[in-house]
Amino acid sequence: MSKEQALKSKSFCSAPWTAVYQAPNGDISPCCIWKGSLGNANNENLDDIFSSDKVKKIKKNMLTGKTIPECEYCTSLEKKSGSDSNRLFFNNHFIDKIDWETSRTKFLYWDLRISNLCNFKCRMCSHECSSEWYDDLKVLGKEPISKIIKIDDKSNFWKQIQLHYEYVESVYFAGAEPFMNEHHYTILEDLASKKLFNTKIIVNTNASINYWKKKKILDYYRPFNKVVFGFSIDGSYELGEYIRKGLDYKKWKENIKEYVDYISERDSWDIGYVFQFTFGVANVHNIIPFITDLLNDKLITKFCQFKFQPIVEPIEQSVKSLPPIIFKNFKNDAENLKSLLQIHGLDERTIEPIQHEIDKVIRYIENTPFEKKYLKDFYKNQEILDKVRGERIYDIIPDYKKLLENNKSII
């Protein structure tokens, strides 16, 4: 195995050599979009999982350029939108740091989804990633075995991951909601106590929680010199609150301002924030109004980025269900985005990445053809959940009622 082979291979990804992803149920893989798992931390050791014959075969296939079925998501994303994928991210950041002399994986990048404990129940989510879905599923006759999903307390996973503190360069905390999980704070405190202040900390949070054990959550992050706060949000006002059940949008903006002020005070390009927007049929039309609302409240600064991630599953919530007329209107709104950003005094260094993200959304939709059958499934499934939650999609997205009443206008 060698770097030369890796550079020649079109299917190579650095993740199996440098990264670990832990799902709430204990499944282990190299990254969060890996199809399937390499093993489970509840009954296997990390070193055994990453030194297995299965992993050795995957590494060999990657180095020889063979198609990796588990990497289907990245392959599709790169093809459809020309977008930066997880594979490209890992290769850009870690290919030069692979230790080719050992078969043991050294975890430079930790992606930890500690449990499914969450205080939101987003429309595109599931019980596997949100404990709040539990009661709704019971009403729908699909009661899971337990409300909370996490690694068995008897597992040695957390002790095993500690052995990689000497290698770690980045830790990514994501959902469910990391600010509700004890291990999130334990790891931050461990890193601080070991004076690993240059470890890059990336967190994806719904930003609804301000304190943990009477201490400001932001204070847990202050010791670190490289931080990216990812704020999950999928729409503004009533639409955002409909999609992300539990969200108080106005309160969310108040919480975000505290982080924005802190980041501006630090005035470092190594400390920033990202608005992480998952887009699909229900909210594409709201992307530009959402950005506009943030601009009006001065929540977009030079340290700000946007990340628009397409919904893939459930498929009826993806842009396969997006009526062409809605996409056309979105494209028209997007044409004025750059001038809007300039009017608010943002410089080109801030504007260009935002515009780039919008262009990727457009390319992705253009390469994902509309299929009416999925739109019908979308209506049906939203109406079922609306009955459970006492909501009405047609009150939130009135244009969709018109489309339903007049099928010709869909096209």
Side-chain angles (χ1 to χ4, degrees), residues 208-311:
S208 65
I209 301 170
N210 295 324
Y211 286 88
W212 177 262
K213 294 184 176 179
K214 299 182 179 180
K215 181 177 177 179
K216 276 268 190 181
I217 289 174
L218 185 55
D219 291 341
Y220 286 92
Y221 283 83
R222 291 181 187 276
F224 298 98
N225 300 317
K226 300 176 182 179
V227 181
V228 177
F229 296 101
F231 302 122
S232 292
I233 186 72
D234 302 314
S236 55
Y237 297 101
E238 291 87 356
L239 176 62
E241 292 171 353
Y242 175 82
I243 295 174
R244 301 181 65 81
K245 185 69 171 180
L247 171 69
D248 179 333
Y249 182 70
K250 291 183 179 179
K251 176 62 176 173
W252 177 84
K253 287 199 293 183
E254 291 175 8
N255 293 346
I256 296 302
K257 188 177 186 307
E258 181 179 0
Y259 287 91
V260 172
D261 289 346
Y262 165 72
I263 292 165
S264 298
E265 289 169 8
R266 289 293 299 262
D267 196 23
S268 166
W269 290 112
D270 288 325
I271 301 178
Y273 61 108
V274 183
F275 293 111
Q276 296 177 308
F277 192 110
T278 303
F279 68 90
V281 59
N283 61 356
V284 166
H285 69 283
N286 186 244
I287 289 176
I288 304 303
F290 167 69
I291 293 174
T292 302
D293 189 58
L294 296 181
L295 282 168
N296 290 336
D297 284 343
K298 296 181 172 53
L299 295 176
I300 299 179
T301 71
K302 64 181 181 180
F303 301 112
C304 168
Q305 296 183 44
F306 286 80
K307 181 68 175 179
F308 294 99
Q309 192 78 13
I311 295 173

Side-chain angles (χ1 to χ4, degrees), residues 108-232:
L108 308 177
Y109 184 91
W110 305 0
D111 185 340
L112 305 177
R113 316 297 170 99
I114 297 168
S115 79
N116 77 330
L117 189 61
C118 190
N119 56 342
F120 282 15
K121 45 182 176 182
C122 304
R123 288 263 165 171
M124 76 294 288
C125 197
S126 65
H127 173 252
E128 286 74 18
C129 295
S130 172
S131 55
E132 281 295 292
W133 263 89
Y134 182 76
D135 290 334
D136 285 356
L137 288 180
K138 286 201 299 182
V139 175
L140 294 168
K142 303 175 183 178
E143 184 172 349
I145 295 174
S146 62
K147 183 172 183 176
I148 306 299
I149 300 173
K150 64 175 184 175
I151 291 178
D152 191 326
D153 291 333
K154 296 178 182 179
S155 164
N156 289 320
F157 174 77
W158 298 109
K159 289 183 180 179
Q160 294 167 41
I161 200 73
Q162 289 174 3
L163 299 175
H164 291 260
Y165 275 127
E166 61 179 302
Y167 311 121
V168 65
E169 295 187 6
S170 297
V171 181
Y172 177 44
F173 297 106
E177 175 48 51
F179 288 175
M180 295 178 69
N181 283 282
E182 181 84 42
H183 288 291
H184 161 255
Y185 302 99
T186 299
I187 290 172
L188 291 179
E189 289 173 335
D190 283 351
L191 290 168
S193 68
K194 295 177 184 295
K195 301 189 185 303
L196 297 174
F197 302 124
N198 286 323
T199 303
K200 186 172 185 176
I201 310 297
I202 310 159
V203 61
N204 183 355
T205 174
N206 62 35
S208 65
I209 301 170
N210 295 324
Y211 286 88
W212 177 262
K213 294 184 176 179
K214 299 182 179 180
K215 181 177 177 179
K216 276 268 190 181
I217 289 174
L218 185 55
D219 291 341
Y220 286 92
Y221 283 83
R222 291 181 187 276
F224 298 98
N225 300 317
K226 300 176 182 179
V227 181
V228 177
F229 296 101
F231 302 122
S232 292

